[in-house]
Short mmCIF file of all heavy atoms in Angstrom, two decimals:
data_model
loop_
_atom_site.label_atom_id
_atom_site.label_comp_id
_atom_site.label_asym_id
_atom_site.label_seq_id
_atom_site.Cartn_x
_atom_site.Cartn_y
_atom_site.Cartn_z
N LEU G 1 -2.01 94.22 93.23
CA LEU G 1 -2.14 92.79 92.97
C LEU G 1 -1.19 92.31 91.87
O LEU G 1 -0.61 91.23 91.98
CB LEU G 1 -3.58 92.45 92.57
CG LEU G 1 -4.58 92.52 93.71
CD1 LEU G 1 -6.01 92.46 93.18
CD2 LEU G 1 -4.32 91.40 94.70
N ALA G 2 -1.04 93.12 90.84
CA ALA G 2 -0.12 92.75 89.77
C ALA G 2 1.30 92.56 90.30
O ALA G 2 1.99 91.61 89.92
CB ALA G 2 -0.13 93.81 88.65
N LYS G 3 1.70 93.44 91.16
CA LYS G 3 3.04 93.32 91.75
C LYS G 3 3.11 92.06 92.64
O LYS G 3 4.10 91.35 92.60
CB LYS G 3 3.35 94.59 92.56
CG LYS G 3 4.76 94.65 93.06
CD LYS G 3 5.04 95.98 93.72
CE LYS G 3 6.50 96.05 94.15
NZ LYS G 3 6.85 97.32 94.74
N ALA G 4 2.07 91.83 93.43
CA ALA G 4 2.08 90.71 94.36
C ALA G 4 2.10 89.36 93.68
O ALA G 4 2.69 88.41 94.18
CB ALA G 4 0.85 90.80 95.26
N VAL G 5 1.47 89.26 92.50
CA VAL G 5 1.41 87.96 91.82
C VAL G 5 2.28 87.92 90.55
O VAL G 5 2.22 86.96 89.79
CB VAL G 5 -0.04 87.55 91.47
CG1 VAL G 5 -0.88 87.45 92.72
CG2 VAL G 5 -0.66 88.50 90.46
N SER G 6 3.07 88.95 90.35
CA SER G 6 3.96 89.05 89.18
C SER G 6 3.19 88.86 87.86
O SER G 6 3.53 88.01 87.04
CB SER G 6 5.08 87.99 89.26
OG SER G 6 5.85 88.20 90.42
N ALA G 7 2.18 89.70 87.69
CA ALA G 7 1.35 89.63 86.48
C ALA G 7 1.30 90.99 85.78
O ALA G 7 1.53 92.03 86.43
CB ALA G 7 -0.06 89.18 86.83
N ASP G 8 0.99 90.98 84.51
CA ASP G 8 0.77 92.19 83.77
C ASP G 8 -0.48 92.88 84.30
O ASP G 8 -1.55 92.25 84.42
CB ASP G 8 0.61 91.86 82.27
CG ASP G 8 0.30 93.10 81.46
OD1 ASP G 8 1.22 93.87 81.18
OD2 ASP G 8 -0.89 93.27 81.10
N GLU G 9 -0.37 94.14 84.64
CA GLU G 9 -1.47 94.87 85.27
C GLU G 9 -2.72 94.92 84.39
O GLU G 9 -3.84 94.70 84.88
CB GLU G 9 -1.03 96.28 85.63
CG GLU G 9 -2.02 97.03 86.44
CD GLU G 9 -1.52 98.40 86.88
OE1 GLU G 9 -0.30 98.62 86.96
OE2 GLU G 9 -2.38 99.25 87.18
N SER G 10 -2.56 95.17 83.12
CA SER G 10 -3.72 95.26 82.23
C SER G 10 -4.43 93.92 82.08
O SER G 10 -5.66 93.81 82.14
CB SER G 10 -3.25 95.76 80.85
OG SER G 10 -4.33 95.80 79.96
N ALA G 11 -3.65 92.85 81.93
CA ALA G 11 -4.23 91.51 81.81
C ALA G 11 -4.90 91.10 83.11
O ALA G 11 -5.97 90.49 83.10
CB ALA G 11 -3.16 90.51 81.41
N LEU G 12 -4.27 91.44 84.23
CA LEU G 12 -4.84 91.09 85.52
C LEU G 12 -6.16 91.80 85.74
O LEU G 12 -7.11 91.24 86.28
CB LEU G 12 -3.85 91.41 86.65
CG LEU G 12 -4.31 91.00 88.04
CD1 LEU G 12 -4.56 89.49 88.13
CD2 LEU G 12 -3.31 91.43 89.07
N ARG G 13 -6.26 93.06 85.32
CA ARG G 13 -7.51 93.80 85.47
C ARG G 13 -8.64 93.10 84.70
O ARG G 13 -9.75 92.97 85.18
CB ARG G 13 -7.37 95.25 85.01
CG ARG G 13 -8.70 96.00 85.15
CD ARG G 13 -8.52 97.50 85.09
NE ARG G 13 -9.79 98.19 85.11
CZ ARG G 13 -10.52 98.38 86.18
NH1 ARG G 13 -10.11 97.94 87.35
NH2 ARG G 13 -11.66 99.01 86.14
N ARG G 14 -8.35 92.63 83.49
CA ARG G 14 -9.35 91.91 82.71
C ARG G 14 -9.76 90.63 83.44
O ARG G 14 -10.95 90.27 83.48
CB ARG G 14 -8.83 91.61 81.31
CG ARG G 14 -8.71 92.86 80.44
CD ARG G 14 -8.45 92.54 78.97
NE ARG G 14 -7.21 91.82 78.76
CZ ARG G 14 -6.02 92.37 78.61
NH1 ARG G 14 -5.91 93.68 78.69
NH2 ARG G 14 -4.94 91.63 78.42
N LEU G 15 -8.80 89.95 84.03
CA LEU G 15 -9.12 88.73 84.78
C LEU G 15 -10.00 89.07 85.98
O LEU G 15 -10.97 88.38 86.25
CB LEU G 15 -7.82 88.03 85.24
CG LEU G 15 -8.01 86.79 86.10
CD1 LEU G 15 -8.63 85.66 85.29
CD2 LEU G 15 -6.70 86.36 86.71
N LEU G 16 -9.67 90.12 86.70
CA LEU G 16 -10.45 90.51 87.88
C LEU G 16 -11.87 90.91 87.51
O LEU G 16 -12.80 90.61 88.22
CB LEU G 16 -9.73 91.66 88.62
CG LEU G 16 -8.48 91.26 89.35
CD1 LEU G 16 -7.64 92.48 89.71
CD2 LEU G 16 -8.79 90.45 90.60
N ILE G 17 -12.03 91.57 86.37
CA ILE G 17 -13.37 91.91 85.90
C ILE G 17 -14.15 90.64 85.58
O ILE G 17 -15.32 90.52 85.93
CB ILE G 17 -13.30 92.88 84.71
CG1 ILE G 17 -12.80 94.23 85.22
CG2 ILE G 17 -14.65 93.01 84.02
CD1 ILE G 17 -12.43 95.21 84.13
N ALA G 18 -13.48 89.69 84.95
CA ALA G 18 -14.15 88.39 84.65
C ALA G 18 -14.53 87.69 85.96
O ALA G 18 -15.64 87.15 86.09
CB ALA G 18 -13.21 87.51 83.82
N LEU G 19 -13.65 87.72 86.94
CA LEU G 19 -13.95 87.10 88.24
C LEU G 19 -15.10 87.83 88.93
O LEU G 19 -15.89 87.20 89.65
CB LEU G 19 -12.70 87.10 89.12
CG LEU G 19 -11.58 86.16 88.66
CD1 LEU G 19 -10.29 86.48 89.40
CD2 LEU G 19 -11.98 84.72 88.86
N THR G 20 -15.21 89.12 88.70
CA THR G 20 -16.32 89.88 89.27
C THR G 20 -17.63 89.44 88.66
O THR G 20 -18.63 89.28 89.39
CB THR G 20 -16.09 91.38 89.06
OG1 THR G 20 -14.86 91.75 89.73
CG2 THR G 20 -17.22 92.23 89.59
N THR G 21 -17.66 89.23 87.38
CA THR G 21 -18.91 88.79 86.73
C THR G 21 -19.31 87.39 87.20
O THR G 21 -20.50 87.05 87.15
CB THR G 21 -18.80 88.79 85.19
OG1 THR G 21 -17.84 87.82 84.76
CG2 THR G 21 -18.47 90.15 84.66
N LEU G 22 -18.35 86.60 87.68
CA LEU G 22 -18.66 85.26 88.17
C LEU G 22 -19.00 85.27 89.67
O LEU G 22 -19.34 84.24 90.23
CB LEU G 22 -17.45 84.32 87.95
CG LEU G 22 -17.06 84.06 86.51
CD1 LEU G 22 -15.78 83.24 86.45
CD2 LEU G 22 -18.20 83.37 85.78
N GLY G 23 -18.85 86.41 90.33
CA GLY G 23 -19.17 86.51 91.72
C GLY G 23 -18.06 86.09 92.65
O GLY G 23 -18.25 85.88 93.84
N ILE G 24 -16.83 85.99 92.12
CA ILE G 24 -15.68 85.58 92.91
C ILE G 24 -14.99 86.79 93.55
O ILE G 24 -14.46 86.70 94.64
CB ILE G 24 -14.72 84.74 92.04
CG1 ILE G 24 -15.39 83.43 91.71
CG2 ILE G 24 -13.37 84.53 92.72
CD1 ILE G 24 -14.67 82.56 90.73
N CYS G 25 -15.02 87.88 92.85
CA CYS G 25 -14.47 89.15 93.36
C CYS G 25 -15.56 90.20 93.24
O CYS G 25 -16.57 90.00 92.56
CB CYS G 25 -13.29 89.62 92.48
SG CYS G 25 -11.83 88.63 92.66
N SER G 26 -15.33 91.32 93.91
CA SER G 26 -16.22 92.45 93.74
C SER G 26 -15.35 93.71 93.57
O SER G 26 -14.27 93.81 94.11
CB SER G 26 -17.17 92.60 94.93
OG SER G 26 -16.46 92.81 96.10
N LEU G 27 -15.89 94.61 92.78
CA LEU G 27 -15.22 95.91 92.55
C LEU G 27 -15.65 96.82 93.67
O LEU G 27 -16.81 97.12 93.84
CB LEU G 27 -15.61 96.44 91.18
CG LEU G 27 -14.95 97.73 90.74
CD1 LEU G 27 -13.45 97.54 90.62
CD2 LEU G 27 -15.53 98.16 89.39
N VAL G 28 -14.69 97.24 94.49
CA VAL G 28 -14.98 98.06 95.66
C VAL G 28 -14.91 99.52 95.31
O VAL G 28 -15.67 100.35 95.77
CB VAL G 28 -13.98 97.72 96.82
CG1 VAL G 28 -14.19 98.61 98.00
CG2 VAL G 28 -14.12 96.27 97.20
N ASP G 29 -13.96 99.89 94.50
CA ASP G 29 -13.75 101.26 94.08
C ASP G 29 -13.51 101.18 92.59
O ASP G 29 -13.63 100.13 91.99
CB ASP G 29 -12.53 101.81 94.83
CG ASP G 29 -12.48 103.32 94.89
OD1 ASP G 29 -13.20 103.97 94.10
OD2 ASP G 29 -11.69 103.85 95.69
#
């Protein structure tokens, strides 16, 4: 995803975790 959206991988992971807590994403693995 970081490569696809041209984002810093570490920062993007934090964003994805925040989105998971909001119910927008889910952690599959």
Side-chain angles (χ1 to χ4, degrees):
L1 288 168
K3 188 173 183 178
V5 300
S6 300
D8 176 78
E9 188 175 337
S10 178
L12 183 60
R13 179 164 176 77
R14 290 190 300 274
L15 177 68
L16 288 163
I17 290 169
L19 290 167
T20 299
T21 65
L22 296 175
I24 292 173
C25 290
S26 61
L27 184 62
V28 176
D29 200 346

